[in-house]
Amino acid sequence: MSRNCARLTCLLALALFSTAHSFTFSTRTKIRPNSLPSAVNRQQQPFGITVLHVSTNGENQAVSDASAAVLESPAPNVTQLKTNLLRACQEQPLPKATIASLIRQLEATTSQAPIEMELLSGDWELVYASDDATRSSPFFWAFQKAFPDTCDQVFAVTDGIPLKDIGPAYQTISYDPIAKTGRLVSRVKVSTLGGLATSIMTTRASITRVDAENDLVLNIETTKPERSSLLNTLLGPLGPLVDENAPAFPSGATLERVMPGSSTVTMQTSYLDEGLRVSKNKERPDSQVFVWRRKEFASYEYL
C-alpha cells in the first residue's frame, strides 16, 4: 500500500476511533395533527429507528408495512409514494426491494415535472442508505476512484469495526442555480467502542458545475474528524480549542496525487422537492442510493 493510501486509511481509522454519544439514523418525530389515529405509541428498535404503532380497539397494529401499502394502491400519487417510502425506511430489517421500487416510482414522476435544482439548497438529513451510511459522504466516492482495486478491502476493515454506530448523517448544500456552482458540506457522526469515542467526519466540497440535467460535479477539498470526544478526554478543557483549530486534512489534493481526477465526483439527483431528495453516486448508481429529508421537516412523520 502506498504512502498516500496509508495516510488516507489512517484518516478513516482516526475518524472511526476518535469518535461520547452513540447514535444512528434518527427518526424521532412529531406527528402532524390528525395524520394518524389518536392512540399512538412508539417502540424503539435497534439502530435508533422508531417504529410507530397505532392502537385500534385496544390492539397495537404496526404502521410499517409499506409493501402492503404499495399493493393496495397500484398507482399512488406522489404524496402517497413519499409516505410509503418514509415508512419503509423506518422498518427493521430494511425492505430494500420495496424501497428500491418506491424510489423508481418517484423517479418516474419527474418525467412530467422536471426537477427544480434550486431546491437543493438547505440542510438535509439522511433517512436511508443502500450502502454503509458513511458512503453518503462524497469523500468515500473519491476514495473509491483513487483506489479502485483496494477500496473494498479497506471498507471491509472499517465497516467491520465492532461496537460501531453510524449516524445521523447530514448534508448542507448552497447552490446558485444561475451560476450552477456552490458548496456541499457532508457530516457523518461515527461512534465506536460502545459510544466511548465519537466524532463527526466532515468533508467539504465545491460544486463546480452541472453535467447533463441533474448531475452535480463535486470537487473534494478537505476531510476532518470534528468534535472528537477523544480529544476532550485527553486534553480536558483544551480539547475543543485544539479540535476547532486543528487543520483539516487536504483529502482532495492527496487523492489527486494518487490518481489524477479522483477528487472529482458526481452526485446524481433523481428526485427532488421541497422536503425529499434521492441522490446517488453516479459511479455506482445501483449500489449507492441515498434518501434525504430536509431538516426543516424532520419533526414530521410524513411530508
Side-chain angles (χ1 to χ4, degrees):
M1 184 178 292
S2 69
R3 178 180 300 177
N4 286 325
C5 181
R7 288 176 177 172
L8 287 164
T9 304
C10 288
L11 176 66
L12 296 181
L14 177 62
L16 292 169
F17 282 109
S18 66
T19 66
H21 301 300
S22 173
F23 68 62
T24 56
F25 291 139
S26 175
T27 55
R28 300 180 183 89
T29 56
K30 297 178 182 177
I31 307 301
R32 284 175 174 163
N34 301 322
S35 64
L36 287 174
S38 58
V40 177
N41 66 77
R42 297 173 180 272
Q43 178 179 333
Q44 191 70 22
Q45 298 293 317
F47 309 107
I49 300 295
T50 301
V51 175
L52 297 179
H53 291 267
V54 179
S55 178
T56 306
N57 297 326
E59 297 293 331
N60 287 335
Q61 298 180 345
V63 184
S64 59
D65 194 350
S67 302
V70 173
L71 293 175
E72 292 170 3
S73 181
N77 59 28
V78 172
T79 300
Q80 187 62 53
L81 282 172
K82 292 192 294 181
T83 298
N84 293 342
L85 178 58
L86 288 176
R87 286 176 172 176
C89 291
Q90 293 177 2
E91 291 189 38
Q92 288 296 319
L94 285 169
K96 289 195 171 184
T98 297
I99 291 173
S101 174
L102 290 165
I103 288 174
R104 286 193 297 269
Q105 292 178 67
L106 269 179
E107 291 170 341
T109 66
T110 63
S111 60
Q112 291 89 27
I115 291 176
E116 300 179 31
M117 296 298 282
E118 59 268 23
L119 296 175
L120 277 171
S121 292
D123 297 318
W124 299 88
E125 179 179 5
L126 186 68
V127 294
Y128 170 75
S130 62
D131 199 346
D132 188 90
T134 57
R135 246 67 95 215
S136 66
S137 169
F139 163 76
F140 288 94
W141 307 356
F143 188 91
Q144 290 167 162
K145 290 182 66 175
F147 302 100
D149 298 327
T150 58
C151 64
D152 289 337
Q153 300 172 10
V154 174
F155 292 158
V157 174
T158 58
D159 292 350
I161 292 175
L163 302 177
K164 183 190 75 171
D165 287 320
I166 304 296
Y170 298 103
Q171 285 184 352
T172 299
I173 300 175
S174 350
Y175 176 70
D176 183 341
I178 297 177
K180 296 185 178 180
T181 58
R183 305 280 304 168
L184 183 146
V185 180
S186 166
R187 296 180 174 90
V188 184
K189 194 170 183 180
V190 181
S191 173
T192 58
L193 304 177
L196 294 177
T198 65
S199 71
I200 298 176
M201 191 168 185
T202 303
T203 292
R204 289 176 165 81
S206 59
I207 301 171
T208 59
R209 66 183 188 277
V210 177
D211 279 352
E213 185 177 356
N214 305 314
D215 299 344
L216 290 187
V217 179
L218 307 174
N219 183 45
I220 307 303
E221 296 176 348
T222 63
T223 302
K224 178 184 177 182
E226 299 179 341
R227 303 180 193 175
S228 169
S229 63
L230 185 60
L231 282 179
N232 293 340
T233 300
L234 295 176
L235 302 179
L238 290 178
L241 183 63
V242 172
D243 181 75
E244 182 178 349
N245 291 281
F249 181 74
S251 52
T254 303
L255 290 166
E256 281 295 310
R257 287 196 290 269
V258 175
M259 181 176 289
S262 61
S263 68
T264 299
V265 297
T266 302
M267 183 179 79
Q268 184 180 56
T269 296
S270 58
Y271 181 83
L272 174 66
D273 64 18
E274 293 85 353
L276 196 70
R277 170 167 65 94
V278 178
S279 293
K280 308 173 183 180
N281 175 7
K282 192 173 183 179
E283 294 280 332
R284 302 189 181 192
D286 297 324
S287 62
Q288 294 184 342
V289 181
F290 309 97
V291 179
W292 301 85
R293 176 166 56 183
R294 196 179 294 276
K295 282 184 66 177
E296 289 90 327
F297 297 107
S299 60
Y300 297 106
E301 183 66 25
Y302 310 115
L303 299 178

